[in-house]
Amino acid sequence: MPMEKSGLEGLAQPWGHVLLARQGLSRQTVIAYLQDIGSFLKFWNEASQGSRAFPGEEDVFLFLAWQRNRGLTARTQARRLSALRSFFDFAIDEGFLKDNPTKNMGNPKLPMHLPEVLSQEEMATLLEMPLMEDRGGFRDRCMLELLYASGLRVSELCSLDLSNLDLQQGLVRVIGKGSKERVVPLHAVAQKLLSEYIAKFRPLFKPASKKLFLNRSGNGLTRQYVWQIVKKYALEAGIRRPISPHTFRHSFATHLLEGGADLRTVQILLGHADVAATEIYTHVQAMRLRQIHHQFHPRNKT
């Protein structure tokens, strides 16, 4: 049966709880989705002025056109369409709607933005920047090595506890997006550094937390602090273009593919649910090959 507007608006919060509890989305993502739905409902209320009991495809189309005219990017429009599609599916499950007005609508075409990647030489230089004589420098070197060794997101790095490491087996257990768990192997250099950090340097922080990496107060590090550390050592390494902790993740994936790893393996190591998310690194690899070809092929030089 058609749904009253008050009923449609009343579904937003229950839908948000479902996204948090069942689908495992982050709180920030759910808040953004709820804001998207709120924007649509406000637009629909003002545009229809009570003339339609429930929204149709035309309402969604006009809403997205209005968003586009306001200068919103294709990526933001795609997110809002995704939010609407999910919300209307929930309304159907709850018996308020018979049909999803977004079912015949395609996503806006998104421009391809290739991620920033360090060369293997740049990465080697950057990893050597921390001075390892004191606890802070040794911790920083271990963090950078672990980011590059495992392709962790910065949030995953900050949430690591001591119990997540199995240094005898050379493994780290990672809790990723949607509380999905994956196990990533470590190379011998990272194993050795982490073993020494845990035995010798971590106790110097007087731990007040079980987190692997600690600040001067003995508590876990924030993502912002890790960003600052990465920017600091990048500048010391002479890298002037902007990079972030996520650059280590991009470089990890690209360098594996350059070394001959298959796409499916890289997908598993990164914790991507869909291989399409991993395929961006094949484009990075192809671009780098073209640059090398252009730089060194003798016919290009002429």
Side-chain angles (χ1 to χ4, degrees):
M1 80 179 171
M3 177 171 45
E4 296 296 330
K5 289 182 182 176
S6 59
L8 183 61
E9 292 164 345
L11 278 181
Q13 288 301 325
W15 171 66
H17 292 311
V18 168
L19 296 180
L20 276 173
R22 297 182 193 171
Q23 297 188 25
L25 298 183
S26 69
R27 185 169 297 276
Q28 291 86 350
T29 299
V30 172
I31 290 173
Y33 273 22
L34 287 172
Q35 290 173 342
D36 293 339
I37 297 304
S39 295
F40 171 76
L41 292 175
K42 181 180 179 181
F43 174 86
W44 176 51
N45 280 327
E46 293 176 354
S48 65
Q49 296 183 346
S51 62
R52 293 185 296 279
F54 57 93
E57 183 175 336
E58 181 183 357
D59 296 300
V60 178
F61 178 82
L62 290 174
F63 172 69
L64 294 177
W66 174 65
Q67 297 280 293
R68 186 167 55 251
N69 290 336
R70 291 178 61 217
L72 268 69
T73 65
R75 191 170 300 277
T76 301
Q77 292 177 59
R79 189 197 72 199
R80 294 198 166 177
L81 180 57
S82 176
L84 287 168
R85 187 174 287 124
S86 173
F87 179 67
F88 290 137
D89 281 341
F90 179 73
I92 291 171
D93 292 340
E94 294 296 308
F96 288 98
L97 280 180
K98 291 183 178 180
D99 209 6
N100 190 324
T102 67
K103 68 178 182 179
N104 296 320
M105 302 184 70
N107 288 324
K109 186 175 181 180
L110 300 178
M112 180 181 292
H113 296 291
L114 297 182
E116 185 66 52
V117 172
L118 297 179
S119 68
Q120 295 184 34
E121 293 76 15
E122 287 175 322
M123 182 62 74
T125 301
L126 177 53
L127 293 175
E128 293 292 334
M129 286 300 103
L131 299 176
M132 299 174 64
E133 288 78 11
D134 59 29
R135 62 177 187 173
F138 203 96
R139 176 206 61 195
D140 294 350
R141 173 65 182 272
C142 287
M143 285 197 306
L144 298 182
E145 286 282 0
L146 185 54
L147 281 171
Y148 181 49
S150 57
L152 296 182
R153 301 176 178 93
V154 64
S155 58
E156 295 169 346
L157 179 84
C158 293
S159 65
L160 284 180
D161 291 341
L162 284 172
S163 60
N164 292 113
L165 287 179
D166 183 348
L167 292 179
Q168 286 189 337
Q169 298 294 323
L171 300 172
V172 56
R173 182 170 55 87
V174 185
I175 309 300
K177 287 186 177 180
S179 299
K180 293 179 180 177
E181 183 178 313
R182 69 185 189 276
V183 176
V184 181
L186 298 174
H187 54 64
V189 174
Q191 283 180 256
K192 182 177 182 299
L193 286 171
L194 285 166
S195 295
E196 187 173 355
Y197 165 73
I198 291 171
K200 182 178 177 180
F201 290 94
R202 187 177 179 276
L204 300 179
F205 288 94
K206 299 181 180 179
S209 166
K210 295 181 180 179
K211 297 301 178 190
L212 174 60
F213 296 114
L214 304 173
N215 60 23
R216 286 177 295 180
S217 300
N219 295 306
L221 300 179
T222 64
R223 292 185 298 175
Q224 292 78 9
Y225 188 78
V226 178
W227 271 67
Q228 291 173 3
I229 288 174
V230 168
K231 290 169 64 177
K232 169 191 172 184
Y233 291 120
L235 287 173
E236 291 181 6
I239 300 170
R240 295 293 175 249
R241 61 189 189 279
I243 71 167
S244 72
H246 219 66
T247 307
F248 283 72
R249 180 172 167 87
H250 296 321
S251 302
F252 164 82
T254 302
H255 295 170
L256 282 177
L257 289 171
E258 288 177 347
D262 64 274
L263 199 62
R264 173 60 178 161
T265 298
V266 176
Q267 176 195 354
I268 294 171
L269 292 174
L270 291 175
H272 285 161
D274 189 341
V275 73
T278 317
E279 288 175 345
I280 186 68
Y281 298 110
T282 63
H283 295 288
V284 175
Q285 186 184 20
M287 181 183 69
R288 287 163 65 86
L289 289 173
R290 284 196 297 271
Q291 290 173 341
I292 292 171
H293 181 277
H294 183 75
Q295 182 178 357
F296 294 107
H297 194 284
R299 299 298 285 179
N300 278 323
K301 292 180 180 179
T302 60

